[in-house]
Amino acid sequence: MADELLSPLDLAFWNLDSPGHPMYLGAVAVFERDPEHPVDAEGLAALITARAENAPRMRQRVRDVWYGVGGAAWAPDEHFDVRRHVHAVRRADTSAAVAELMSRPMDREHPPWEVYVIEGAPDAPFSVLVKLHHALADGLRAVEFGAVLLDQGVRPAAPATPAPRAAAATSPPAPRQPAGLHLPALPGLPGLPGLPGLSGLPDPRQMVASLPSRVREAGRALGIGSAVLRASLDPGGPAALGAAPRHGGAPRRFAGASLEVDDMHRVRKTSGGTVNDVVMAVVAGALRRWMEARGDDPDGPGPRALIPVARRRRKGVRGGRGNRISGYLLRLPVGEADPLARLRGVREGMDRNKAAGPDTGPGAVALLADSVPPLAHRFAAPLLAASARLLFDVLVTNVPMLDVPLTLGGCRMTELHPIAPLARGQSLAVAISTYRGRVHIGLFADATAVPDADALATALHGSLAELLAACGEGEEAARRP
């Protein structure tokens, strides 16, 4: 199988990675125990190990390439051992275990993923943490990876067929590649038998035909760049959402909250907008409550939220199956005391973003990765990482989820809290997923700046209750466990 070049954005994620700010995605799934299917952490780890071993992408690592200086490709890990990636952990405090495990750096010489089965009391629900490098998957593909490990992702084994008799070799063996660098398979160049994977010269007619699209792309890139520059001059958000950059370890906090989708719909039907608008308003209200409880002033410029939007990758772009993400920038109305006014402010801001489209404006900065050569990604990564706080203050991402009952070893999954990476200089990332009638929110925070992430999770319930009360639904609805 030909090795696949990393997409421009995946290459950027790979180069943005640092010990103090690892670019890891995660998800914490909570499972109820089934008396008819008794399991323990070691047994579940063995089950996941067997399933992960049969997933081709989970056997691949990132390697540098000769072709496309500064680029990288997915290649098979010749020393792949799935037991290196799957672990059983016994900890009474699941949230603390998740924060610690997400902070640990992964070995970049091996496939960048890990799975932990976290078990507390013998009869209590257990959790499974799936941890992936952002270069390996975006939110949607991360869900696909996780689904492979669940009971519903197991495919029946295909009937064995006799292997065809090998034909006699008529071509010379492929040359050995130098250690450390790799030459991905690309369309062949006639006349160079020693380099079957090297691309030929471009067709001049194709170059001429592609000129209009290249001009449009250049114009779009300039527009996004100027919008990013203007946005970086806007005043930043509350100091409570800032954190000192870390060059060594990265201590974190994790907390989760689960809210009822029906409550979100009650607010939407009364006040208009979308369920996503309601969720963003709940996050804004929770930030206000949390800041007030800490003695911080919520008035002043609200935090600028970056809201990622998945985009389809165009045909012909290198790394065709990789990440391609745009986004919206939204100033969260944390300073607004009236919950309905907060919701109205969110709705109006999102309406403006949607009218402009996800491929324009400062939130589309990730699309510029397609216009940057591979070598530039490596040199520009430290600068880009350091400038993230100039553009946004908090990441708020919605991860799509399959809304069907899911099980592991016969145990029913009841919650799924996604985890987003923290950018340099920021103290909080909010990830949201909807599963089986509930909105599950994962809060990933800098341990020094936000030691009370659990208080912010509690504030999410209070924020939704406040909205329901303002809509005449009563505060008790959002306080259900």
Side-chain angles (χ1 to χ4, degrees):
M1 181 178 66
D3 298 329
E4 178 188 343
L5 287 169
L6 268 69
S7 75
L9 186 55
D10 292 343
L11 184 61
F13 287 146
W14 188 249
N15 290 321
L16 283 170
D17 196 34
S18 69
H21 300 86
M23 293 296 295
Y24 301 157
L25 301 174
V28 184
V30 180
F31 295 87
E32 286 184 345
R33 294 186 182 273
D34 185 347
E36 298 183 1
H37 299 87
V39 293
D40 58 17
E42 286 74 16
L44 289 167
L47 179 64
I48 292 173
T49 296
R51 293 174 179 178
E53 195 167 25
N54 296 321
R57 188 50 157 246
M58 302 182 90
R59 305 174 67 93
Q60 292 184 313
R61 52 161 291 197
V62 176
R63 297 185 63 178
D64 295 337
V65 297
W66 284 104
Y67 179 84
V69 178
W74 293 106
D77 182 0
E78 298 174 355
H79 305 288
F80 177 73
D81 183 353
V82 68
R83 294 170 298 179
R84 182 187 289 116
H85 301 268
V86 182
H87 310 276
V89 178
R90 283 187 167 82
R91 292 281 293 274
D93 188 340
T94 299
S95 294
V98 168
E100 177 187 335
L101 296 172
M102 286 296 297
S103 303
R104 292 182 183 177
M106 290 191 283
D107 188 346
R108 289 167 66 92
E109 296 300 316
H110 295 287
W113 64 271
E114 294 173 347
V115 175
Y116 295 88
V117 180
I118 306 172
E119 189 176 45
D123 297 329
F126 65 89
S127 300
V128 175
L129 169 64
V130 178
K131 173 180 169 184
L132 307 168
H133 198 286
H134 208 337
L136 181 63
D138 58 8
L140 180 58
R141 292 188 69 185
V143 171
E144 295 173 356
F145 276 102
V148 171
L149 309 178
L150 298 172
D151 297 341
Q152 288 70 27
V154 177
R155 297 179 180 178
T161 55
R165 180 176 298 177
T170 58
S171 58
R176 297 184 62 183
Q177 304 297 337
L181 289 173
H182 193 59
L183 182 66
L186 297 169
L189 176 62
L192 292 179
L195 294 174
L198 189 60
S199 177
L201 295 174
D203 187 336
R205 292 171 296 182
Q206 293 180 350
M207 293 181 64
V208 173
S210 67
L211 279 176
S213 64
R214 290 176 180 269
V215 171
R216 288 193 298 270
E217 287 295 313
R220 183 171 62 90
L222 286 173
I224 295 173
S226 62
V228 169
L229 179 60
R230 291 193 301 271
S232 66
L233 300 177
D234 288 344
L241 293 178
R246 298 184 179 275
H247 303 288
R252 301 293 190 224
R253 290 287 185 270
F254 169 78
S258 296
L259 309 176
E260 298 293 331
V261 172
D262 287 346
D263 289 341
M264 303 286 183
H265 280 292
R266 290 188 182 97
V267 175
R268 178 192 62 80
K269 291 176 181 178
T270 301
S271 303
T274 67
V275 170
N276 283 337
D277 294 340
V278 177
V279 173
M280 295 300 296
V282 167
V283 171
L287 287 171
R288 178 181 177 85
R289 284 171 166 257
W290 171 71
M291 291 175 64
E292 288 179 332
R294 287 164 47 115
D296 296 325
D297 184 5
D299 295 331
R304 299 160 299 174
L306 177 62
I307 306 169
V309 178
R311 307 295 294 160
R312 289 184 178 273
R313 179 158 293 284
R314 301 184 307 279
K315 292 183 179 180
V317 176
R318 59 189 171 92
R321 290 197 305 161
N323 286 305
R324 190 169 190 262
I325 300 173
S326 183
Y328 297 130
L329 272 186
L330 175 68
R331 181 78 72 169
L332 295 178
V334 170
E336 177 56 64
D338 181 353
L340 293 182
R342 280 198 300 270
L343 175 56
R344 187 163 54 251
V346 166
R347 185 173 66 245
E348 292 172 353
M350 290 303 296
D351 286 346
R352 287 192 297 269
N353 279 327
K354 293 172 185 176
D359 293 343
T360 61
V365 61
L367 294 179
L368 295 180
D370 288 347
S371 306
V372 179
L375 188 60
H377 278 290
R378 302 209 173 199
F379 290 109
L383 178 62
L384 292 174
S387 60
R389 186 67 199 274
L390 295 176
L391 182 62
F392 65 101
D393 304 296
V394 59
L395 176 70
V396 183
T397 180
N398 198 328
V399 180
M401 182 61 194
L402 300 173
D403 197 21
V404 297
L406 299 173
T407 58
L408 176 63
C411 299
R412 184 172 66 93
M413 188 171 83
T414 58
E415 301 176 27
L416 182 71
H417 299 280
I419 303 173
L422 272 183
R424 184 172 300 182
Q426 297 177 350
S427 65
L428 178 67
V430 182
I432 303 158
S433 188
T434 302
Y435 173 68
R436 307 306 292 164
R438 306 187 81 189
V439 177
H440 304 284
I441 302 176
L443 305 174
F444 197 51
D446 180 275
T448 303
V450 188
D452 54 347
D454 53 342
L456 180 55
T458 300
L460 288 165
H461 291 274
S463 177
L464 178 55
E466 188 179 31
L467 268 172
L468 286 166
C471 295
E473 294 288 342
E475 293 197 10
E476 67 279 359
R479 299 190 185 278
R480 289 191 295 266

